[in-house]
Amino acid sequence: MALTRLLARPQARASDSGPAMARVIAFANQKGGVAKTTTTLNLGVALVEQGLRVLAVDLDPQGNLTMSQGWNPDEIDRSMFDVLVHRLPITEIVRSNELDVAVSSIDLAGAELALASMIGRERALEKALLPVRENYDFVLIDTPPSLGLLTINALVASDGVIVPVQCEYLSLRGLVQLENTLSMIRENLNPNVGIQGILATMFDRRLLHSREAVEILKENFGDLVLNTKIRKTVRYAEAPVKGQSIFKYDVSGEAAGMYRDLAKEVLDGASARQHA
Ligand SMILES: Nc1ncnc2c1ncn2[C@@H]1O[C@H](COP(=O)(O)OP(=O)(O)O)[C@@H](O)[C@H]1O
Ligand SMILES: [Mg+2]
């Protein structure tokens, strides 16, 4: 399938005067197991290491991000469900460990249904984040593996989207579907949101297949493909079992180094946008 370059970078938002507002980034790909959660957590902690204030939002009912900071979603009473459905202030459910996390619980699985009949259902997260955007430099939103109402809320609330893709099982069709959803959101709900970067994950440079996957991504998506590639290493699976980011688990290891590189690339992109 020959794909043309169908992604246009949306206009950068003119920098607002007034207090600095967090840049909101969603991590989205409707495919599961591509490293959305791993990237939300570890990029977040890499930014904290740089002295930045970061809020990570766990918008996946599976609660993997919440678990990866050592909290059990089954034992959480109030979560993003209450924020989205009952308009509970988000500060009431933010917990702090290596970074601040707006936690998920199993209740969140019912949020799509509960939101469906509400007016402004696509903007519940955008509204919830408004009062805290001044308190953070970055808000990073982890999304579930679907393009349902929770992910749509994340895309509507965001300035940009980072799309992790697994080099082993590249799904270009999935990426086109995600971009179609983003086009609809730009037309109807948030004119500013677009793909900020495509992140190759679980990259194995010894495998031709992995190198080819990156080439195919570059052919189709050009400079949207981030320079940083996250290589495959078991460290990323070991850390969350301990309730830790890779930075706490192995601060000087190469797994932490790769997310430091990603943080640098994201920060360079943010300052380039500011001066554009
Ligand atoms: N670069 C990597 N190398 C090896 N395993 C990884 C890597 N990134 C993530 N993983 C592991 O792959 C699995 C899926 O990652 P996860 O971040 O949960 O994906 P998603 O949130 O997209 O479903 C997890 O067990 C995670 O620890
Ligand atoms: Mg996940």
Side-chain angles (χ1 to χ4, degrees), residues 125-222:
L125 180 61
E126 182 186 38
K127 279 213 177 110
L129 288 176
L130 212 54
V132 294
R133 276 188 77 167
E134 275 177 45
N135 305 342
Y136 293 99
D137 299 299
F138 283 91
V139 174
L140 307 181
I141 308 169
D142 187 23
T143 64
S146 80
L147 291 174
L149 209 39
L150 286 169
T151 300
I152 288 176
N153 261 273
L155 301 177
V156 171
S158 294
D159 302 305
V161 183
I162 290 180
V163 186
V165 294
Q166 192 184 358
C167 292
E168 279 167 58
Y169 303 99
L170 190 57
S171 166
L172 289 177
R173 275 183 67 191
L175 293 181
V176 171
Q177 206 180 5
L178 175 60
E179 177 53 22
N180 289 341
T181 302
L182 276 169
S183 294
M184 283 193 295
I185 288 175
R186 272 196 294 276
E187 268 171 45
N188 296 297
L189 294 157
N190 176 4
N192 299 305
V193 70
I195 293 180
Q196 158 175 352
I198 293 178
L199 176 68
T201 66
M202 304 184 203
F203 177 75
D204 185 342
R205 64 183 149 192
R206 292 165 305 181
L207 297 181
L208 176 64
H209 179 66
S210 227
R211 297 197 304 269
E212 277 175 354
V214 173
E215 282 314 307
I216 292 169
L217 283 173
K218 284 187 179 156
E219 276 164 28
N220 288 286
F221 300 101

Side-chain angles (χ1 to χ4, degrees), residues 68-136:
S68 69
Q69 281 289 278
W71 301 300
N72 180 354
D74 296 341
E75 291 167 4
I76 285 173
D77 282 341
R78 296 191 304 172
S79 73
M80 281 306 296
F81 174 84
D82 304 275
V83 172
L84 298 174
V85 177
H86 301 311
R87 306 270 155 94
L88 184 72
I90 195 166
T91 48
E92 305 259 325
I93 60 117
V94 170
R95 299 184 181 207
S96 299
N97 189 350
E98 292 175 77
L99 77 179
D100 285 1
V101 180
V103 294
S104 162
S105 68
I106 192 66
D107 291 347
L108 197 54
E112 302 232 347
L113 199 60
L115 283 170
S117 59
M118 284 167 58
I119 291 178
R121 60 190 180 172
E122 293 100 347
R123 295 199 185 275
L125 180 61
E126 182 186 38
K127 279 213 177 110
L129 288 176
L130 212 54
V132 294
R133 276 188 77 167
E134 275 177 45
N135 305 342
Y136 293 99

Side-chain angles (χ1 to χ4, degrees), residues 31-38 64 202 230-233 236-237 240:
K31 207 164 163 330
V34 298
K36 288 182 290 295
T37 303
T38 305
N64 292 335
M202 304 184 203
I230 307 296
R231 288 200 293 279
K232 190 170 181 166
T233 151
Y236 292 119

